[in-house]
Amino acid sequence: MGKREKSRLSRTKYMAGSMALALLASVALPFTQASAETKQQDLTGFAKGTYEKQLQFEEKLKNGIKENKIKTYSRALSKRPALVGTKGNDAGVKYALNQLRKAGLDPKVQTYDVYLSHPNSVSVTQTAPFERKLNVMENLKKNTPFKNEVVEGYNAYSPSGNVEGELVYANYGTPEDFETLKMQGVSVKDKIVIVRYGKNFRGVKPDLASQNGAKGVLIYSDPKDDGYVKGPVYPDGPWRPSDAIQRGSILYIYNYPGDPLTPGKASVAGVKRIKAKNADSLPRIPTTPISYGEAKGLLQAMGGKEAPKDWQGGLPFKYHLGSAASKARINLDIEYETKPVNDITVTFKGAKYPNEKIVIGGHRDTWTYGASDNISSWATIMETARSLGKLYEQGWRPDRTIVLAGWDGEEYGLLGSTEYAEQHQKDLIKNAVAYINMDGIAGQFFGAGAVPSLNDLIYDVAKNVTEPRSGLSVYDDMLVRNNGDEQEIDPLGSGSDYTAFLQHLGVPSADIGFGVAGGLYHSAYDNTDSVERLFDPGYKHQAAAGRFTGLMALRLANSQVLPLQYSEYAQSVQKLLADVEKDGTLGVDMSHVKAKAQAWEEASKNLETYSQDLLAGDKVKPKQLKQLNKALIQQERDLINPQGLASRSWFKHQIYAPGLTTGYAAQPLPALVEAQQANDPAAFAKAVKQLEKSLAKATWTAEEAVE
């Protein structure tokens, strides 16, 4: 599913980073000295006298991750499309298993049978003011490998249908956009809506369109957003050419991800499946994507009122809202069947605490060739596993178990990771320390999203990983690019494989990688050539991402006290509560919930002081450590409401969920905000009470761990 609609690196940040390169020469020496000093500092969570051994293992891991190995894996895996449920995907499984076994590892395959769609035929026709059949595939060269296996432009889980109607342009298809149409006197009832990608998850667009009575949706990528307006298009540059189509799932993952027919349960033998008509995650009207080259003729022929100024795109004419003179037909023959998805895992069992585990994961399925999204991550995870395997051969053992995973079916709706998390939820709720995600890491500028308890760990690790572009540490490089400030770590919404771990189970999660601005997302041009020439020459940043996530895993696996710090989390919650309060509390008193958040902060600070004193002592008692780490694991779980959100019970986290009308972007304090948006005082009061309960539990957990 990737990242562009939830991108950690906006065009502005990209340009700022590029301009910052000119400053590196003048500041490199002092920043390099700072990095050297960093390594002499204490490692958070490690008792005195254990730093040197830990840093030795970290250096061995970093040195063991080789760019050429990632290149070999990536080229082999991205030479053929690996769409879920296809022969190319199966070939990727066989290749990965073979390579991991050659490295002396013991990979396992976990298979789930899930409800999948596949297009038999996709047809889009302009029927008025003249008839023209649109191209639904890129103009690939004749010698393109496995060209016949590249799926035409289509949206996974769209229903079949043959619909014709008047075209209405609805900008990005946000709630505000549909409201603007109403104010303009334009109805979408029984019409076909054409919208551009961006602003919200693609699945939200047909959801809102169907709620407003539309019979079909066309989604295109406007050149203003990711095409020639931004810069040179592929193959000359990284931006989307006129024939490139953004494929993607429109499953309503903001209701629940994973197999649509087994919500909350793993899709294994014997599971009870609901009927498709009762699945709240399945779209209702035919929807399909087209390129801006094909959308041009549709939009240019549309009459009616001129679209608002901020609705105007990058094509060379005025955009209009539509009239009866412009029509189109969507004819989709989509086949549905239950087919297997295959996750691959490699496990390094912990020597001291084998039940406690850290999971590093990234999806291995693609839309087309997927060299960036997401072979970049899966090839890097394979190489990280190989490097850890070399350490294992030399006698190294992690204190806690480390699991590396390649998920299948992410592009269709986080299928493999969700089914895995649902199947192993009892074990994960009890024992999972953290989940670290990698998705589309072939870039040149660091970006991260995480729960606040992992922020300090991310910054600490950033000080010990070299940024290939500048030669500084990742941390110092971010300071240069952000005028001396630490780069913001984003909240997690959805759209990638951390979703089930964090928002269904309450496992602290992070999404780590490197990004760069471009427009080849989910097109047939996300290939080896674009990665090697334009996005990550030499596979240097993919290797850096492997070193980064590997070090995070080693810190989490070997620390005496887990490096999870909740005082910053509590401070963040207080800020979020203040933001909610600014928008109105519907007459509900929020003083108690704010007090609970403050109490959690105080208890967390006391716990952190206690842990520091414990590690600074001459002798650390195993019983104290066990009690302390149990509390650190539990606090994220305390933020889970077992009943889930009122709007969607699968999502159980009280602090973060994807927005109902954004789909990817995080909606902090979702239960409060949704009640606020619905102007429902009773629901708001109930949400406040539930949040109070969660914060009180987290506070009690922290207090009980301090002797």
Side-chain angles (χ1 to χ4, degrees):
M1 192 159 292
K3 61 185 181 178
R4 299 304 166 259
E5 288 158 294
K6 62 183 181 67
S7 176
R8 297 180 297 255
L9 292 164
S10 68
R11 175 65 171 167
T12 301
K13 288 184 179 179
Y14 169 69
M15 292 303 294
S18 298
M19 290 185 289
L21 297 182
L23 302 175
L24 293 179
S26 62
V27 298
L29 180 59
F31 273 114
T32 303
Q33 290 172 341
S35 294
E37 293 168 1
T38 298
K39 293 191 177 183
Q40 304 304 315
Q41 296 175 359
D42 295 349
L43 297 184
T44 302
F46 287 82
K48 63 180 182 180
T50 64
Y51 313 139
E52 184 176 351
K53 184 178 180 181
Q54 173 67 15
L55 288 173
Q56 287 175 352
F57 283 128
E58 291 182 6
E59 286 301 312
K60 287 182 179 180
L61 173 68
K62 289 189 291 185
N63 293 333
I65 293 177
K66 305 296 185 183
E67 287 82 353
N68 281 341
K69 290 295 293 185
I70 297 174
K71 176 181 178 179
T72 298
Y73 295 153
S74 181
R75 283 187 168 185
L77 289 166
S78 61
K79 71 180 180 181
R80 183 178 185 180
L83 186 68
V84 63
T86 65
K87 292 180 180 179
N89 187 290
D90 292 342
V93 172
K94 293 177 182 178
Y95 174 83
L97 293 176
N98 182 49
Q99 293 299 313
L100 293 167
R101 287 167 182 157
K102 278 185 177 180
L105 304 172
D106 184 24
K108 304 293 184 184
V109 177
Q110 177 65 60
T111 300
Y112 303 97
D113 294 319
V114 304
Y115 192 58
L116 294 177
S117 69
H118 186 79
N120 290 324
S121 67
V122 174
S123 174
V124 181
T125 305
Q126 183 171 9
T127 58
F130 51 84
E131 187 161 318
R132 176 180 67 98
K133 190 169 184 179
L134 277 60
N135 195 354
V136 295
M137 176 67 80
E138 287 92 348
N139 301 316
L140 298 176
K141 296 179 180 178
K142 290 183 178 180
N143 62 348
T144 301
F146 296 97
K147 178 180 176 181
N148 63 321
E149 293 187 12
V150 177
V151 69
E152 59 260 69
Y154 102 107
N155 290 129
Y157 291 111
S158 169
S160 293
N162 186 355
V163 296
E164 182 178 5
E166 179 183 329
L167 281 170
V168 175
Y169 172 57
N171 197 27
Y172 292 106
T174 67
E176 295 78 14
D177 291 335
F178 282 105
E179 189 61 32
T180 296
L181 286 175
K182 290 179 183 177
M183 293 175 64
Q184 292 280 342
V186 178
S187 171
V188 302
K189 183 173 175 56
D190 295 326
K191 297 175 184 176
I192 292 176
V193 170
I194 181 167
V195 293
R196 50 177 167 159
Y197 274 113
K199 301 295 185 182
N200 56 8
F201 166 55
R202 71 184 72 80
V204 173
K205 301 173 192 292
D207 189 0
L208 294 174
S210 64
Q211 291 178 36
N212 283 275
K215 62 168 65 173
V217 175
L218 294 171
I219 314 178
Y220 79 102
S221 301
D222 196 279
K224 184 177 182 180
D225 299 310
D226 67 359
Y228 59 77
V229 174
K230 294 292 189 179
V233 302
Y234 185 80
D236 299 321
W239 296 100
R240 189 178 298 271
S242 63
D243 65 324
I245 303 171
Q246 184 191 140
R247 298 150 180 84
S249 177
I250 56 170
L251 191 71
Y252 299 168
I253 58 170
Y254 43 89
N255 286 341
Y256 62 90
D259 181 10
L261 305 189
T262 62
K265 298 178 181 179
S267 51
V268 294
V271 68
K272 185 177 180 181
R273 301 175 188 271
I274 64 175
K275 294 181 179 180
K277 66 179 181 180
N278 297 326
D280 291 337
S281 66
L282 288 174
R284 306 304 179 191
I285 58 176
T287 302
T288 201
I290 56 176
S291 66
Y292 65 78
E294 295 300 309
K296 180 179 179 180
L298 297 176
L299 293 164
Q300 194 168 20
M302 291 175 67
K305 294 182 179 180
E306 185 175 310
K309 183 178 180 180
D310 59 350
W311 286 35
Q312 298 296 323
L315 293 168
F317 48 78
K318 289 290 185 181
Y319 290 31
H320 290 77
L321 301 181
S323 67
S326 181
K327 296 181 180 180
R329 180 189 304 116
I330 303 173
N331 191 354
L332 306 180
D333 180 7
I334 310 296
E335 182 177 350
Y336 278 80
E337 58 183 326
T338 299
K339 299 183 73 173
V341 297
N342 298 295
D343 295 339
I344 299 176
T345 57
V346 175
T347 300
F348 296 93
K349 193 171 183 179
K352 290 185 179 180
Y353 315 106
N355 291 330
E356 296 179 8
K357 53 183 62 67
I358 297 92
V359 182
I360 299 175
H363 69 91
R364 55 169 205 81
D365 65 306
T366 65
W367 268 105
T368 60
Y369 298 100
S372 176
D373 186 13
N374 190 36
I375 297 303
S376 63
S377 300
W378 175 225
T380 301
I381 289 170
M382 289 173 59
E383 174 59 1
T384 304
R386 191 192 66 82
S387 183
L388 287 172
K390 292 296 181 183
L391 289 177
Y392 203 83
E393 289 176 0
Q394 298 168 14
W396 164 81
R397 297 292 183 272
D399 288 348
R400 298 178 180 86
T401 295
I402 298 175
V403 179
L404 296 102
W407 311 118
D408 197 7
E410 190 269 359
E411 295 293 7
Y412 266 49
L414 321 182
L415 303 180
S417 60
T418 299
E419 300 311 312
Y420 177 93
E422 290 175 343
Q423 181 181 26
H424 300 285
Q425 59 182 315
K426 288 184 179 179
D427 173 58
L428 291 169
I429 289 172
K430 183 178 181 181
N431 296 310
V433 173
Y435 173 74
I436 306 168
N437 193 60
M438 301 170 74
D439 194 350
I441 62 170
Q444 298 177 35
F445 299 96
F446 178 74
V451 291
S453 56
L454 287 169
N455 285 358
D456 282 352
L457 174 61
I458 291 171
Y459 290 132
D460 286 347
V461 170
K463 295 170 184 176
N464 288 272
V465 176
T466 299
E467 158 55 61
R469 177 178 35 72
S470 65
L472 305 177
S473 72
V474 171
Y475 184 82
D476 293 337
D477 184 81
M478 77 167 69
L479 295 183
V480 172
R481 293 189 293 111
N482 290 279
N483 298 316
D485 294 329
E486 289 181 331
Q487 185 169 321
E488 182 180 350
I489 296 175
D490 297 327
L492 295 175
S494 186
S496 199
D497 289 306
Y498 55 77
T499 301
F501 290 90
L502 173 63
Q503 292 160 343
H504 191 62
L505 304 182
V507 176
S509 298
D511 188 32
I512 303 294
F514 291 84
V516 68
L520 305 184
Y521 177 61
H522 287 188
S523 77
Y525 303 120
D526 178 6
N527 54 27
T528 298
D529 174 66
S530 62
V531 165
E532 293 187 354
R533 285 197 304 112
L534 303 171
F535 296 132
D536 187 21
Y539 294 84
K540 294 178 180 180
H541 286 85
Q542 292 167 70
R547 295 175 186 122
F548 200 108
T549 56
L551 261 61
M552 282 187 69
L554 287 181
R555 297 272 174 99
L556 289 160
N558 295 335
S559 55
Q560 282 78 36
V561 175
L562 292 169
L564 299 171
Q565 302 204 5
Y566 287 95
S567 60
E568 184 175 346
Y569 211 141
Q571 292 169 6
S572 177
V573 170
Q574 291 174 63
K575 293 177 182 176
L576 295 174
L577 286 169
D579 290 340
V580 168
E581 199 169 25
K582 288 178 184 176
D583 292 332
T585 63
L586 305 181
V588 177
D589 181 10
M590 291 185 65
S591 61
H592 295 296
V593 72
K594 291 192 293 183
K596 297 291 186 187
Q598 292 168 358
W600 184 30
E601 180 187 358
E602 183 178 352
S604 297
K605 285 182 176 178
N606 291 337
L607 182 62
E608 288 156 15
T609 300
Y610 171 71
S611 67
Q612 291 166 5
D613 292 343
L614 201 63
L615 292 172
D618 294 329
K619 189 175 181 180
V620 182
K621 297 179 181 179
K623 182 180 178 181
Q624 291 173 310
L625 289 178
K626 183 178 180 180
Q627 183 173 304
L628 184 55
N629 287 325
K630 183 179 179 181
L632 290 168
I633 291 174
Q634 180 60 36
Q635 284 183 80
E636 192 77 52
R637 314 293 198 268
D638 290 336
L639 303 177
I640 290 289
N641 175 5
Q643 285 72 47
L645 301 178
S647 59
R648 46 218 158 121
S649 60
W650 188 92
F651 285 94
K652 301 181 184 300
H653 205 281
Q654 295 294 287
I655 312 302
Y656 299 110
L660 275 171
T661 58
T662 61
Y664 276 170
Q667 175 55 72
L669 303 182
L672 276 70
V673 172
E674 288 172 16
Q676 197 176 51
Q677 291 172 344
N679 196 28
D680 188 337
F684 189 85
K686 184 177 180 180
V688 168
K689 286 293 183 184
Q690 180 55 53
L691 182 57
E692 285 181 23
K693 183 178 178 181
S694 291
L695 295 175
K697 286 171 64 179
T699 302
W700 183 87
T701 297
E703 290 173 342
E704 285 295 299
V706 178
E707 292 188 349

PDB file of all heavy atoms in Angstrom, residues 646-664:
ATOM      1  N   ALA A 646     -16.480   3.335  18.962  1.00  0.00           N
ATOM      2  CA  ALA A 646     -17.918   3.216  18.695  1.00  0.00           C
ATOM      3  C   ALA A 646     -18.197   3.100  17.206  1.00  0.00           C
ATOM      4  O   ALA A 646     -19.125   2.405  16.785  1.00  0.00           O
ATOM      5  CB  ALA A 646     -18.646   4.423  19.280  1.00  0.00           C
ATOM      6  N   SER A 647     -17.367   3.758  16.383  1.00  0.00           N
ATOM      7  CA  SER A 647     -17.588   3.773  14.940  1.00  0.00           C
ATOM      8  C   SER A 647     -17.064   2.522  14.248  1.00  0.00           C
ATOM      9  O   SER A 647     -17.492   2.201  13.137  1.00  0.00           O
ATOM     10  CB  SER A 647     -16.907   5.006  14.329  1.00  0.00           C
ATOM     11  OG  SER A 647     -15.508   4.980  14.603  1.00  0.00           O
ATOM     12  N   ARG A 648     -16.134   1.817  14.887  1.00  0.00           N
ATOM     13  CA  ARG A 648     -15.498   0.636  14.269  1.00  0.00           C
ATOM     14  C   ARG A 648     -14.749  -0.127  15.349  1.00  0.00           C
ATOM     15  O   ARG A 648     -13.685   0.272  15.795  1.00  0.00           O
ATOM     16  CB  ARG A 648     -14.559   1.054  13.147  1.00  0.00           C
ATOM     17  CG  ARG A 648     -13.661   2.235  13.566  1.00  0.00           C
ATOM     18  CD  ARG A 648     -13.426   3.221  12.464  1.00  0.00           C
ATOM     19  NE  ARG A 648     -13.034   4.514  12.965  1.00  0.00           N
ATOM     20  CZ  ARG A 648     -11.886   5.133  12.670  1.00  0.00           C
ATOM     21  NH1 ARG A 648     -11.030   4.595  11.852  1.00  0.00           N
ATOM     22  NH2 ARG A 648     -11.619   6.323  13.137  1.00  0.00           N
ATOM     23  N   SER A 649     -15.330  -1.231  15.768  1.00  0.00           N
ATOM     24  CA  SER A 649     -14.859  -1.941  16.954  1.00  0.00           C
ATOM     25  C   SER A 649     -13.499  -2.596  16.770  1.00  0.00           C
ATOM     26  O   SER A 649     -12.827  -2.915  17.756  1.00  0.00           O
ATOM     27  CB  SER A 649     -15.885  -3.000  17.367  1.00  0.00           C
ATOM     28  OG  SER A 649     -16.088  -3.948  16.326  1.00  0.00           O
ATOM     29  N   TRP A 650     -13.075  -2.843  15.509  1.00  0.00           N
ATOM     30  CA  TRP A 650     -11.769  -3.472  15.302  1.00  0.00           C
ATOM     31  C   TRP A 650     -10.643  -2.569  15.803  1.00  0.00           C
ATOM     32  O   TRP A 650      -9.654  -3.044  16.343  1.00  0.00           O
ATOM     33  CB  TRP A 650     -11.568  -3.791  13.816  1.00  0.00           C
ATOM     34  CG  TRP A 650     -10.354  -4.616  13.519  1.00  0.00           C
ATOM     35  CD1 TRP A 650     -10.263  -5.976  13.424  1.00  0.00           C
ATOM     36  CD2 TRP A 650      -9.021  -4.115  13.284  1.00  0.00           C
ATOM     37  NE1 TRP A 650      -8.968  -6.355  13.140  1.00  0.00           N
ATOM     38  CE2 TRP A 650      -8.184  -5.231  13.048  1.00  0.00           C
ATOM     39  CE3 TRP A 650      -8.458  -2.841  13.234  1.00  0.00           C
ATOM     40  CZ2 TRP A 650      -6.833  -5.118  12.772  1.00  0.00           C
ATOM     41  CZ3 TRP A 650      -7.091  -2.720  12.975  1.00  0.00           C
ATOM     42  CH2 TRP A 650      -6.303  -3.850  12.744  1.00  0.00           C
ATOM     43  N   PHE A 651     -10.794  -1.258  15.624  1.00  0.00           N
ATOM     44  CA  PHE A 651      -9.788  -0.296  16.090  1.00  0.00           C
ATOM     45  C   PHE A 651     -10.010  -0.032  17.570  1.00  0.00           C
ATOM     46  O   PHE A 651     -11.049   0.493  17.970  1.00  0.00           O
ATOM     47  CB  PHE A 651      -9.869   0.999  15.286  1.00  0.00           C
ATOM     48  CG  PHE A 651      -9.298   0.871  13.902  1.00  0.00           C
ATOM     49  CD1 PHE A 651     -10.114   0.565  12.833  1.00  0.00           C
ATOM     50  CD2 PHE A 651      -7.941   1.029  13.679  1.00  0.00           C
ATOM     51  CE1 PHE A 651      -9.596   0.427  11.557  1.00  0.00           C
ATOM     52  CE2 PHE A 651      -7.406   0.899  12.409  1.00  0.00           C
ATOM     53  CZ  PHE A 651      -8.232   0.589  11.333  1.00  0.00           C
ATOM     54  N   LYS A 652      -9.011  -0.385  18.379  1.00  0.00           N
ATOM     55  CA  LYS A 652      -9.183  -0.377  19.826  1.00  0.00           C
ATOM     56  C   LYS A 652      -8.288   0.629  20.558  1.00  0.00           C
ATOM     57  O   LYS A 652      -8.433   0.813  21.752  1.00  0.00           O
ATOM     58  CB  LYS A 652      -8.914  -1.795  20.372  1.00  0.00           C
ATOM     59  CG  LYS A 652      -9.841  -2.846  19.767  1.00  0.00           C
ATOM     60  CD  LYS A 652      -9.585  -4.238  20.317  1.00  0.00           C
ATOM     61  CE  LYS A 652     -10.466  -5.282  19.632  1.00  0.00           C
ATOM     62  NZ  LYS A 652     -11.906  -5.020  19.803  1.00  0.00           N
ATOM     63  N   HIS A 653      -7.378   1.257  19.844  1.00  0.00           N
ATOM     64  CA  HIS A 653      -6.456   2.185  20.497  1.00  0.00           C
ATOM     65  C   HIS A 653      -7.162   3.501  20.792  1.00  0.00           C
ATOM     66  O   HIS A 653      -7.845   4.057  19.938  1.00  0.00           O
ATOM     67  CB  HIS A 653      -5.240   2.419  19.595  1.00  0.00           C
ATOM     68  CG  HIS A 653      -4.012   2.838  20.335  1.00  0.00           C
ATOM     69  ND1 HIS A 653      -3.804   4.123  20.771  1.00  0.00           N
ATOM     70  CD2 HIS A 653      -2.920   2.133  20.734  1.00  0.00           C
ATOM     71  CE1 HIS A 653      -2.640   4.207  21.387  1.00  0.00           C
ATOM     72  NE2 HIS A 653      -2.080   3.007  21.382  1.00  0.00           N
ATOM     73  N   GLN A 654      -6.971   4.010  22.016  1.00  0.00           N
ATOM     74  CA  GLN A 654      -7.652   5.231  22.438  1.00  0.00           C
ATOM     75  C   GLN A 654      -6.985   6.515  21.947  1.00  0.00           C
ATOM     76  O   GLN A 654      -7.632   7.556  21.883  1.00  0.00           O
ATOM     77  CB  GLN A 654      -7.710   5.276  23.978  1.00  0.00           C
ATOM     78  CG  GLN A 654      -8.554   4.194  24.597  1.00  0.00           C
ATOM     79  CD  GLN A 654     -10.015   4.363  24.249  1.00  0.00           C
ATOM     80  OE1 GLN A 654     -10.677   5.260  24.765  1.00  0.00           O
ATOM     81  NE2 GLN A 654     -10.525   3.519  23.377  1.00  0.00           N
ATOM     82  N   ILE A 655      -5.701   6.414  21.623  1.00  0.00           N
ATOM     83  CA  ILE A 655      -4.958   7.635  21.290  1.00  0.00           C
ATOM     84  C   ILE A 655      -4.843   7.842  19.786  1.00  0.00           C
ATOM     85  O   ILE A 655      -4.937   8.963  19.292  1.00  0.00           O
ATOM     86  CB  ILE A 655      -3.548   7.622  21.923  1.00  0.00           C
ATOM     87  CG1 ILE A 655      -3.629   7.231  23.410  1.00  0.00           C
ATOM     88  CG2 ILE A 655      -2.888   8.989  21.766  1.00  0.00           C
ATOM     89  CD1 ILE A 655      -4.508   8.144  24.255  1.00  0.00           C
ATOM     90  N   TYR A 656      -4.653   6.758  19.011  1.00  0.00           N
ATOM     91  CA  TYR A 656      -4.436   6.905  17.568  1.00  0.00           C
ATOM     92  C   TYR A 656      -5.275   5.910  16.769  1.00  0.00           C
ATOM     93  O   TYR A 656      -5.356   4.734  17.105  1.00  0.00           O
ATOM     94  CB  TYR A 656      -2.954   6.689  17.215  1.00  0.00           C
ATOM     95  CG  TYR A 656      -2.024   7.668  17.881  1.00  0.00           C
ATOM     96  CD1 TYR A 656      -1.157   7.249  18.891  1.00  0.00           C
ATOM     97  CD2 TYR A 656      -2.001   9.012  17.515  1.00  0.00           C
ATOM     98  CE1 TYR A 656      -0.295   8.139  19.511  1.00  0.00           C
ATOM     99  CE2 TYR A 656      -1.148   9.909  18.137  1.00  0.00           C
ATOM    100  CZ  TYR A 656      -0.303   9.473  19.129  1.00  0.00           C
ATOM    101  OH  TYR A 656       0.540  10.360  19.749  1.00  0.00           O
ATOM    102  N   ALA A 657      -5.863   6.415  15.692  1.00  0.00           N
ATOM    103  CA  ALA A 657      -6.565   5.587  14.705  1.00  0.00           C
ATOM    104  C   ALA A 657      -6.520   6.343  13.384  1.00  0.00           C
ATOM    105  O   ALA A 657      -6.289   7.556  13.358  1.00  0.00           O
ATOM    106  CB  ALA A 657      -8.018   5.339  15.116  1.00  0.00           C
ATOM    107  N   PRO A 658      -6.719   5.658  12.267  1.00  0.00           N
ATOM    108  CA  PRO A 658      -6.842   6.394  11.003  1.00  0.00           C
ATOM    109  C   PRO A 658      -8.152   7.175  10.986  1.00  0.00           C
ATOM    110  O   PRO A 658      -9.159   6.728  11.543  1.00  0.00           O
ATOM    111  CB  PRO A 658      -6.846   5.278   9.953  1.00  0.00           C
ATOM    112  CG  PRO A 658      -7.354   4.075  10.676  1.00  0.00           C
ATOM    113  CD  PRO A 658      -6.838   4.196  12.069  1.00  0.00           C
ATOM    114  N   GLY A 659      -8.139   8.329  10.357  1.00  0.00           N
ATOM    115  CA  GLY A 659      -9.358   9.125  10.268  1.00  0.00           C
ATOM    116  C   GLY A 659     -10.389   8.467   9.368  1.00  0.00           C
ATOM    117  O   GLY A 659     -10.038   7.868   8.347  1.00  0.00           O
ATOM    118  N   LEU A 660     -11.645   8.579   9.718  1.00  0.00           N
ATOM    119  CA  LEU A 660     -12.720   7.967   8.922  1.00  0.00           C
ATOM    120  C   LEU A 660     -12.814   8.577   7.529  1.00  0.00           C
ATOM    121  O   LEU A 660     -13.236   7.907   6.585  1.00  0.00           O
ATOM    122  CB  LEU A 660     -14.058   8.132   9.647  1.00  0.00           C
ATOM    123  CG  LEU A 660     -14.400   7.080  10.702  1.00  0.00           C
ATOM    124  CD1 LEU A 660     -15.635   7.500  11.484  1.00  0.00           C
ATOM    125  CD2 LEU A 660     -14.609   5.712  10.066  1.00  0.00           C
ATOM    126  N   THR A 661     -12.430   9.831   7.386  1.00  0.00           N
ATOM    127  CA  THR A 661     -12.511  10.466   6.065  1.00  0.00           C
ATOM    128  C   THR A 661     -11.140  10.793   5.486  1.00  0.00           C
ATOM    129  O   THR A 661     -11.035  11.473   4.471  1.00  0.00           O
ATOM    130  CB  THR A 661     -13.353  11.759   6.132  1.00  0.00           C
ATOM    131  OG1 THR A 661     -12.773  12.652   7.086  1.00  0.00           O
ATOM    132  CG2 THR A 661     -14.784  11.447   6.523  1.00  0.00           C
ATOM    133  N   THR A 662     -10.074  10.301   6.160  1.00  0.00           N
ATOM    134  CA  THR A 662      -8.729  10.423   5.603  1.00  0.00           C
ATOM    135  C   THR A 662      -8.163   9.060   5.251  1.00  0.00           C
ATOM    136  O   THR A 662      -7.460   8.916   4.258  1.00  0.00           O
ATOM    137  CB  THR A 662      -7.771  11.133   6.574  1.00  0.00           C
ATOM    138  OG1 THR A 662      -7.669  10.378   7.785  1.00  0.00           O
ATOM    139  CG2 THR A 662      -8.265  12.541   6.882  1.00  0.00           C
ATOM    140  N   GLY A 663      -8.445   8.049   6.079  1.00  0.00           N
ATOM    141  CA  GLY A 663      -8.064   6.678   5.777  1.00  0.00           C
ATOM    142  C   GLY A 663      -6.649   6.309   6.127  1.00  0.00           C
ATOM    143  O   GLY A 663      -6.404   5.248   6.682  1.00  0.00           O
ATOM    144  N   TYR A 664      -5.695   7.164   5.797  1.00  0.00           N
ATOM    145  CA  TYR A 664      -4.294   6.938   6.131  1.00  0.00           C
ATOM    146  C   TYR A 664      -3.860   7.801   7.314  1.00  0.00           C
ATOM    147  O   TYR A 664      -3.282   7.316   8.268  1.00  0.00           O
ATOM    148  CB  TYR A 664      -3.388   7.275   4.935  1.00  0.00           C
ATOM    149  CG  TYR A 664      -3.219   6.190   3.899  1.00  0.00           C
ATOM    150  CD1 TYR A 664      -2.595   6.476   2.689  1.00  0.00           C
ATOM    151  CD2 TYR A 664      -3.662   4.895   4.107  1.00  0.00           C
ATOM    152  CE1 TYR A 664      -2.412   5.500   1.720  1.00  0.00           C
ATOM    153  CE2 TYR A 664      -3.497   3.914   3.153  1.00  0.00           C
ATOM    154  CZ  TYR A 664      -2.868   4.220   1.951  1.00  0.00           C
ATOM    155  OH  TYR A 664      -2.691   3.263   1.000  1.00  0.00           O
TER     156      TYR A 664
END
